[in-house]
Amino acid sequence: MSPESPPEARNFEGKNRSVGVEIEFAGLPPWETAELVRGCFGGTIHEISPHRLRVEETRWGDFLVELDTQYAHPDEKVLHDAPKRDTEWERQRHQMRVDFHSKTRELIGDVVTGLVPTEIVCPPVPWDELDGLDALFTALFARGAKGTDASLLYGFGLHLNPEVASLDVAHIVDRLRAYLLLAEWLREEIDIDITREVLPHANPFPKDYALKVLDPDYAPSLDDFIADYVEFNPTRNRELDLYPLLAYLRPDYPHELFSDKLVKARPTFHYRLPNAQLSQRGWGAVTEWNRWVIVERLAADQAALRERAARYVSYHTQSPLVRAFKWLSDWLRRRMAS
C-alpha cells in the first residue's frame, strides 16, 4: 500500500511534510525491540537507562524505545539535582540517593516488563516514505509483538503526528472542523477496540465544543481559539490532541498543561485514535495516514466543509422530537422507494 498525497504536501517552511509515529504493543521487551529496529533501519543502540533505549543514526533519525510507564525510568530531576551543600559528605549522600533511585526504577521496570506496553517513538518520517516504515510493523508481528486485538486487556494505540502545512489559525480550525465531521466515521472505519473505548486516552470531543467550532461564524484569533480549546478540553486525552501544537504556537500561554512535561511542543497534530492492529495483514502507518488524508481533503474543500458543517449544526440543534420525526420520515421514504 502506498501513502496517499495530502492536498498540501509541503509544510509551513516549504519542505516536504513529515509524520511522527508512535506505537504501543506487548510481548517484546525494549532491548529486543531496539535490536529489531536496528535490524530494519540500521543505526546504533544507545542505552539511556535499562528500560529506555535510543536507536541512533537510522535513515530518518533516532528511534526511542521504552517501557510505557514513567516509573520504570529514572526521574531526570533527581538525576540532575545538585547536592544541597558543597561538602564531601553531602556529595556522597547525594550520589547514594541517585544510585538508589536509579536501581529502584530499574527494579520496577524488571517487574512490570510484560505487564505494561513497550512503546516505539519514531523520528519524523516524510509522508511519502511511510511505506518504508511499515516494514517495522511486519517485523514486530513476526517477532511476537502483540497489538490491540490480541487481548481484551490491550488498550494499545498507534499515534500519528502529521506536521501542519500552515501555522495560520484559520488553517488549523478548518482541519479541526473536518476532523469533527469525520470522527464518527473514523471510529467505525478503524473499529475502535472496546478496551480503548473504555479507557480515557482517546475520548471524543464534547458535542458543545463541536457545535462551537462548526458554527459558520466561528473565526477566532489564536488566543481565543486556545482559550476555547482549554475550556472545553482541559485534558490531553482527546482523539485529536491539539496541546502539542498549541504549546508550539504559544509556549508562554498561562495554563498548567502548557508546562506539563508530557506535552511536547511541536508543529503537528497529535492523532491518537487508531488501534495497534499488528496482526492485521497489510496494516501499518500508511493505512492510518491514508485515513487522515481524507480529513485533510475535506478541510481543503471549502464548499463541502461549509455545507457539511451547516448540516451538522442544524441537525444537532434540533429538538429530539424534530429529529425523531425526521428520522421516521427518512425511513418511510426509503421503505417506499425499495
Side-chain angles (χ1 to χ4, degrees), residues 18-224:
S18 61
V19 186
V21 180
E22 305 163 28
I23 183 168
E24 305 161 333
F25 52 89
L28 213 59
W31 259 105
E32 288 184 44
T33 302
E35 289 169 350
L36 188 65
V37 171
R38 180 175 61 183
C40 289
F41 307 121
T44 305
I45 298 176
H46 169 70
E47 182 180 309
I48 302 171
S49 62
H51 301 289
R52 176 178 283 158
L53 306 114
R54 193 164 51 235
V55 185
E56 301 176 337
E57 299 179 348
T58 74
R59 58 185 287 192
W60 295 302
D62 297 349
F63 286 75
L64 181 66
V65 180
E66 62 182 357
L67 285 181
D68 191 20
T69 171
Q70 61 179 323
Y71 302 110
H73 314 294
D75 187 324
E76 292 295 316
K77 183 178 180 181
V78 174
L79 295 183
H80 297 115
D81 194 21
K84 294 181 179 179
R85 290 182 295 278
D86 189 20
T87 66
E88 183 62 27
W89 163 244
E90 193 60 40
R91 285 192 293 271
Q92 290 181 8
R93 184 169 175 270
H94 172 72
Q95 189 59 49
M96 288 171 62
R97 179 170 178 261
V98 169
D99 292 344
F100 179 77
H101 171 77
S102 299
K103 200 63 183 176
T104 301
R105 292 297 176 96
E106 180 182 353
L107 180 60
I108 291 172
D110 291 342
V111 170
V112 303
T113 296
L115 300 176
V116 301
T118 298
E119 181 179 34
I120 301 175
V121 180
C122 305
V125 176
W127 70 265
D128 52 357
E129 296 180 31
L130 283 170
D131 50 346
L133 183 65
D134 276 359
L136 174 61
F137 303 116
T138 302
L140 283 168
F141 179 68
R143 189 67 68 87
K146 308 295 184 184
T148 316
D149 54 351
S151 169
L152 285 173
L153 301 177
Y154 291 169
F156 304 150
L158 175 131
H159 301 171
L160 294 184
N161 296 282
E163 191 176 20
V164 294
S166 169
L167 300 180
D168 184 73
V169 66
H171 176 94
I172 295 165
V173 169
D174 280 346
R175 272 73 204 155
L176 177 58
R177 283 177 170 142
Y179 185 84
L180 291 167
L181 292 168
L182 291 171
E184 186 175 344
W185 171 80
L186 284 166
R187 284 180 171 270
E188 293 175 356
E189 187 76 8
I190 294 168
D191 190 17
I192 297 299
D193 184 84
I194 187 171
T195 306
R196 301 192 70 230
E197 289 278 16
V198 172
L199 293 172
H201 308 308
N203 283 342
F205 286 98
K207 186 62 61 65
D208 287 348
Y209 182 65
L211 289 171
K212 185 178 188 68
V213 173
L214 291 170
D215 187 308
D217 295 328
Y218 187 64
S221 66
L222 176 59
D223 277 6
D224 286 342

Side-chain angles (χ1 to χ4, degrees), residues 3 51 85 133 144 158 162 169 213 240 243 249 258-259 263 265 303 327:
H51 301 289
R85 290 182 295 278
L133 183 65
L158 175 131
V169 66
V213 173
L240 183 64
Y243 277 110
L249 295 171
F258 283 68
S259 57
V263 175
W327 179 89

Side-chain angles (χ1 to χ4, degrees), residues 208-258:
D208 287 348
Y209 182 65
L211 289 171
K212 185 178 188 68
V213 173
L214 291 170
D215 187 308
D217 295 328
Y218 187 64
S221 66
L222 176 59
D223 277 6
D224 286 342
F225 178 61
I226 294 174
D228 291 337
Y229 187 85
V230 169
E231 178 185 353
F232 286 92
N233 308 284
T235 173
R236 298 169 51 244
N237 295 327
R238 289 284 182 256
E239 53 195 346
L240 183 64
D241 174 18
L242 296 192
Y243 277 110
L245 175 58
L246 299 180
Y248 178 86
L249 295 171
R250 279 283 269 113
D252 56 345
Y253 191 83
H255 188 275
E256 59 187 12
L257 276 170
F258 283 68

Side-chain angles (χ1 to χ4, degrees), residues 266-281:
R266 52 186 182 262
T268 71
F269 296 105
H270 187 39
Y271 176 41
R272 304 162 65 103
L273 190 61
N275 298 327
Q277 298 290 106
L278 288 174
S279 64
Q280 182 177 312
R281 186 177 179 84

